[in-house]
Amino acid sequence: MAKGLQGFSWTMLLLLCAIQELGVWAVQTAVEGPELGQPGDPSLLAGGRVKRGWVWNQFFVVEEYTGTEPLYVGKIHSDSDEGDGSIKYTISGEGAGTIFLIDEITGDIHATERLDREQKTFYTLRAQARDRQTDQLLEPESEFIIKVQDINDSEPRFLEGPYIGSVAELSPIGTSVMQVMASDADDPTYGSSARVVYSVLEGEQHFTVDSKTGVIRTAVADLDRETQDRYEVVIRATDMAGQLGGLSGSTTVTIVVTDVNDNPPRFPQKMYQFSIVETAPVGTAIGRVKAEDSDVGENTDMTYQVKDEEGVEMFKVTTDSNTQEAIISVQKPLDYESKKVHTVVVEALNKFVDPRFVDLGTFRDQTIVRVSVLDVDEPPEFRPPSNLMEVQEDAHVGSVVGIVTALDPDIANHPVRYAIDRSTDTERIFDIDANTGAIVTGKVLDRETAGWHNITVLAMEADNHSQVSRASLRIRILDVNDNPPELATPYEAAVCEDAKPGQLIQTISVVDRDEPQSGHRFYFTLAPEATNNHHFSLLDIQDNTAAVHTQRMGFNRQEQDVYLLPILVVDSGPPALSSTGTLTIRICGCDSNGAIQSCNSTAYVVSATLSPGALIALLVCILILVVLVLLILTLKRHHKSHLTSEDDEDMRDNVIKYNDEGGGEQDTEAYDMSALRSLYDFSEIKGGDGGGGPGEGLPSGNLASELHALPQWVQSPDLDFSVFRDYICKKVEQADEDLSVPPYDSFQTYAFEGSDSPVPSLSSINTWSSGSEQDFSYLGVWGPRFRQLAALYAGRRCEEDSEES
């Protein structure tokens, strides 16, 4: 192909040169010379204006030149050039000096590099003609263009690939699939280098392509997706209008064949077999079957249905939308003893049918499903399933209410035993015969207490009590007239003293706990003891009510303010029962309008209710009184217990608390020293027996005097504590015997310090010696903290000594 391209290029080059030789044309440009009088103006020699002009041919250069010598482009020439070499030609602009070179003397232009029109189509340059001696412009600068002549050096290219198209299966011949387009970089205005035609290289058995537009179409009408769902078609684009020597490019087009609903569903098997136990509840799934469809997507969506009448009654078929399977389930209870095998015809049909392909056949298929029922040991069944019985409420204990019957549905037909679920008959009102199923009364019935009873009867196999059936039984207690009628309420009426004869006082109604089927009918009369009554009369209104009227003119409540009227009420039976009720009639005082004012010296008409505010105030007052009473009782009890505790405390201890610091040692008037002394008079022992023995840390010369000078408390040997001892022993004995009080087993006595303390007391309380008998000189050696104390006591001692002297 490279050799053909090179030959074609040189052919075009020779043709171009011939055209240049035959069709030379000149472009002359009249140039006004310089103004007269200007230096260097050639027209000054001639004494007038002189026309100058450029002469050259239009320049073309062939692209992709592969020769070894520079390629001749053309020649520029000025009409003032006389051929003596006095004019120098130069060029400037795009590529000047690099791509294009000019001969300064002849004006010949050559191309020194290989050009590519697809990169740059023309070059713009400027030409100058100068005097070789003075380097002055002889002609004005002129612009010219060098065009790059195109050759067929670029093949067509498919720039929008890869291409993917689709077409429905079974489409008619000539159905458009898609369009491809190729681009050629050559010059479309020059020759046929950019004229592209299309053709099919691979896949022409099924597809064609329009040579000019590139539209791909189907070539056959029997494209079948189920056979082949995609095709790889190679399309070629050739320039030079497909002529010999043209360049070409190709691309691969992927064509996907889309699905149409052209295949009916088909069951892989003509018969399926399943089994299920007869006790399976309604709705239990028996199995699944599925019809195959070669189509894809929504074209495979299908529905299933049962076609035979027996199958429609016993079984139901639903479609699993995810798997497109038929789910066969139980629609009615199965019975092995009635029928052991069921045959069901299941049909599958497409949900969406394309009417264009109806002539291909019916889009449905059928299969047979055989269902085998498995026998299991079933519990007894109640027959007939009646759940209502009736019994008279006056039936004797042991009377038969009714009989329930249950049979074993299995072929073995085991005997059945009966029982009552006692959780539904906790009072054991009914019993049942275990063998016959006869239900009898176990207690006396009373319809007025319980008119209905709901019990559960159990039926089980005699040799297998785990096989149990339950039946709910409703027993209605029929009414018997065993309750007499009674007045609806304890009636009380009021009548004015000035009442007239025939005035209605009260309307009487009755209640009866019985409920006869024909309805109630009551009769009213005055009791026999009221037959001589001349004050009131009773009228039976014949609608199960009666009216009481006055029978005399006026009453006197001072003589009698209350009348008791006995009324006899009888029902319609059978048997007829009766009772006597009393109507209380009070004689009251009334005003002129007949409004009752008072009865029995008590106001008859009072305020029916109190206002909410008054009620709240009343409740608050009552609550305050209750709180005050409780508070007073609590304070009294607390005061009493406090007095008791104080008495007990005085009997056990006598503790005097004193926490007033006073004015110091010199303040003898701030407090009463006698209150701090013991309640008993203890004598002072001025020997070293009661204090401690001599200490080792004190000076030996002053030890005896200091022991007697410091305040001390010693127990007197002649004190008698027997009174306290007897009292304490008595209290201990009482506490040991009384388990409700805390024990008093630990007693501590703080009345004396003891007799064995080695350190004498420093307190001045109970000091029986005077200040003159004490020596405080030792306070000076206790350090700076006791300096003030030593100064006070040591100074005081010095003053006393001076006074004595």
Side-chain angles (χ1 to χ4, degrees), residues 86-102:
S86 62
I87 298 176
K88 180 176 69 174
Y89 296 98
T90 61
I91 59 175
S92 63
E94 296 177 336
T98 56
I99 300 176
F100 303 103
L101 299 178
I102 187 171

Side-chain angles (χ1 to χ4, degrees), residues 687-688 691-695 698 702-712 758-761:
L698 298 175
N702 299 329
L703 177 60
S705 62
E706 288 179 0
L707 289 176
H708 293 285
L710 291 175
Q712 300 182 35
V759 180
S761 175

Side-chain angles (χ1 to χ4, degrees), residues 108 193 199 265 376 396 409 437 509 529 532 566 640 673 718 788 798:
D108 293 334
S193 299
S199 60
V376 295
H396 298 289
S509 61
E529 59 267 23
N532 296 325
K640 183 178 180 181
M673 293 292 292
D718 57 351
Q788 183 69 21
C798 294

Side-chain angles (χ1 to χ4, degrees), residues 375-439:
D375 185 28
V376 295
D377 189 7
E378 297 177 273
E381 294 180 355
F382 286 92
R383 299 175 184 175
S386 175
N387 62 349
L388 177 61
M389 293 183 179
E390 295 179 345
V391 61
Q392 296 284 343
E393 67 173 321
D394 60 347
H396 298 289
V397 175
S399 300
V400 176
V401 178
I403 299 175
V404 294
T405 303
L407 300 176
D408 185 7
D410 298 324
I411 296 178
N413 194 14
H414 297 95
V416 179
R417 297 293 180 263
Y418 303 93
I420 293 178
D421 186 355
R422 289 305 174 185
S423 63
T424 61
D425 185 24
T426 56
E427 298 181 2
R428 294 183 174 270
I429 299 176
F430 301 96
D431 293 323
I432 189 170
D433 190 296
N435 296 321
T436 63
I439 299 175

Side-chain angles (χ1 to χ4, degrees), residues 242-315:
Q243 297 177 4
L244 184 62
L247 304 179
S248 64
S250 63
T251 187
T252 300
V253 179
T254 302
I255 300 177
V256 179
V257 181
T258 59
D259 184 58
V260 297
N261 193 9
D262 59 338
N263 294 284
R266 291 287 181 264
F267 284 102
Q269 301 173 213
K270 289 301 179 183
M271 178 177 289
Y272 296 85
Q273 291 189 355
F274 299 100
S275 61
I276 188 171
V277 296
E278 61 176 334
T279 56
V282 173
T284 303
I286 300 174
R288 293 173 175 241
V289 296
K290 183 179 181 181
E292 303 294 339
D293 194 329
S294 302
D295 297 322
V296 294
E298 67 175 11
N299 295 324
T300 61
D301 293 346
M302 60 187 75
T303 57
Y304 299 89
Q305 59 185 5
V306 179
K307 294 299 294 182
D308 61 309
E309 295 182 359
E310 178 188 359
V312 170
E313 181 180 357
M314 298 298 298
F315 303 97

